[in-house]
Each structure stands twice: as structure tokens, then as C-alpha cells.
Amino acid sequence: MSDQRFAGKTAIVTGASRGIGLAIAQRLVDEGARVVITARKEPALQAAVTQLGGPEHAVYVVGGADNTAHQDAAVAAALENFGSVDYLVNNTGINPVYGPLMEMDVEAARKILDVNVLSALSWAQKVHAAWMGEHGGAIVNLGSIAGLRPAPGIAFYGVSKAAVLHLTEELAVELGPKIRVNAVAPAVVKTQFATALYEGREEKVAAAYPLKRLGEPDDIGSVVAFLLSADAGWMTGQTLVVDGGVLLGGGA
């Protein structure tokens, strides 16, 4: 791409072996960034690094997003391989259960909070201490429209994403002016993570969207890239809803 907005910059993108995370990493690399990608499965990460152009453009670190030792290793990899940690994308999210809140395993709820919320805070602390506190930078957290309205069946996932969106605002106030912190709230995006929400009935689900289609990972990657870039230089603490218009309620 001729637009190299991120030339010389380095991003950590969590949960980036596939889906939305990989699309975000690809967009950043296409615009000149070097990326450190993380996930739990090494073969998928190896394939992703190859897709991203190899170790000149991307390296990976295997581990769970909520593991602080893993976070330290990823930050160290960014500094050792590329010399900076200019951007952080907290993309990792889990939703291991489906069903009503009254039947939910409280231990599963704790794990959702650990991975979706507390890890986002911890990652921000790590990059702040290692680089951004002195040099500045930008953070984007992945939320969900489930954090903006009730989402029966995935209700506690929605609770966690509501917390992520508020965490974004709190971090934006605390870390400005050197570090900008924003969020993206997607609707259903066609990834392996969201398969249960549309598989076998995609046309019916998409009918509720004014744009009459579900999201693609690239739809989110482009918005995250915008929020990290200087084009969004006067934006912080904001959540951009990327939902094909579904929250408007204008579907068929």
C-alpha cells in the first residue's frame, strides 16, 4: 500500500492467529507496522506470521492473554525485535458458555472477566511501563454491541464487554495526553469465534441489519487502524460501533 501510516512503528495484537485479530495485524503490516501477535496455539501463529510476510514484519509469542508472564514476554519480544511498543490492540476475548445467567457457572464468569477485562488492564499496564508512558502511543480495545444492549444467551460476555468499554474511558482519562485509548464495538463478524451466532442461518441473521450482511474481519481491521493512526489524533475514550446498522433497528 502507498499509505504507510505506521512505518517504523510496532504493535502488539492479542488473539491474532486468525479472525479479527489477524485482519487487524494484516492491515497494520500493510501500512508499514511491525507486529507482535499472540494466541494460545503455536501452529496457527506460525501460519499467521507467514501470511504477514515473515519475521521482518511479524513475530509471535504463544500464551494465554491473561497470563502476566506471557504479557511480559510479548512486550519483551516487541522491544527486542523491533525496538518499540507504539500500539496495543486488546483483541482477545472468550465466551465459553451460552445460556441464561441463572444457570451460569460462576467460575466461568470469573474466567471471562479475567480474560476479557482484567487482561486488557494488565496489558495496558505492561506497555505503559515498558514504552508508552515515556514515548506515548495508542491503545484500542475490542468491545462488542453485546456490551451496549442486553444480549440473551451471551449475557455475561456482554457484561464483560460493557466493562471493557468503561475501562477504555477510564484509561483515556488517566493516560492522556501521551496515550490515546479507544474501543471498537462490532456486531456479528464472520469468524470461527462467532460461528454459533449465524451458522446455517446467515441470511436470516443478516436480514436484521440495514446493510443486509454480517461483518467481515477486514471491516474491523480498517477501523482499528484508523483509531491507532494520527487520523484519529483528537479522539480518545471513544467507542466506534461497527455493526452494519443493526443497533438502529431498521432491519426487515
Side-chain angles (χ1 to χ4, degrees):
M1 295 179 67
S2 59
D3 188 355
Q4 296 287 287
R5 291 186 291 185
F6 306 116
K9 303 293 187 179
T10 305
I12 294 174
V13 185
T14 71
S17 63
R18 56 181 170 82
I20 290 173
L22 181 54
I24 293 167
Q26 186 70 68
R27 183 60 179 255
L28 298 180
V29 167
D30 287 346
E31 296 194 35
R34 294 80 54 88
V35 298
V36 176
I37 60 173
T38 76
R40 291 175 297 168
K41 297 180 179 179
E42 187 165 20
L45 284 167
Q46 291 172 333
V49 165
T50 299
Q51 178 179 322
L52 293 167
E56 291 184 7
H57 303 282
V59 297
Y60 69 83
V61 180
V62 180
D66 58 334
N67 183 306
T68 56
H70 165 65
Q71 295 165 6
D72 288 333
V75 172
L79 294 173
E80 291 168 7
N81 287 277
F82 303 128
S84 66
V85 188
D86 306 287
Y87 309 120
L88 168 66
V89 181
N90 280 310
N91 171 69
T92 299
I94 63 168
N95 184 42
V97 295
Y98 183 91
L101 287 173
M102 293 302 96
E103 298 176 8
M104 185 171 189
D105 181 351
V106 173
E107 292 306 313
R110 288 194 178 97
K111 184 62 176 179
I112 290 172
L113 290 179
D114 281 345
V115 175
N116 294 5
V117 185
L118 295 179
S119 75
L121 171 60
S122 184
W123 279 103
Q125 292 173 334
K126 300 289 187 182
V127 298
H128 178 269
W131 183 265
M132 290 189 195
E134 180 178 355
H135 301 279
I139 298 171
V140 173
N141 297 321
L142 267 291
S144 168
I145 63 167
L148 297 170
R149 68 176 187 183
I154 57 169
F156 202 80
Y157 174 78
V159 170
S160 75
K161 290 303 186 178
V164 167
L165 300 184
H166 190 72
L167 175 65
T168 297
E169 295 177 351
E170 296 287 359
L171 289 173
V173 170
E174 187 169 321
L175 298 182
K178 280 190 172 183
I179 303 170
R180 297 184 302 104
V181 188
N182 292 290
V184 176
V188 176
V189 177
K190 293 169 63 176
T191 64
Q192 183 177 328
F193 177 79
T195 298
L197 300 177
Y198 69 88
E199 190 172 42
R201 55 194 181 96
E202 181 178 340
E203 186 174 341
K204 180 179 180 181
V205 174
Y209 291 62
L211 294 185
K212 303 305 179 191
R213 70 172 178 89
L214 302 184
E216 299 285 352
D218 288 344
D219 292 319
I220 311 305
S222 60
V223 175
V224 171
F226 162 70
L227 287 173
L228 292 175
S229 77
D231 293 336
W234 207 41
M235 291 180 65
T236 197
Q238 302 304 304
T239 295
L240 290 188
V241 176
V242 188
D243 72 341
V246 73
L247 286 187
L248 299 173

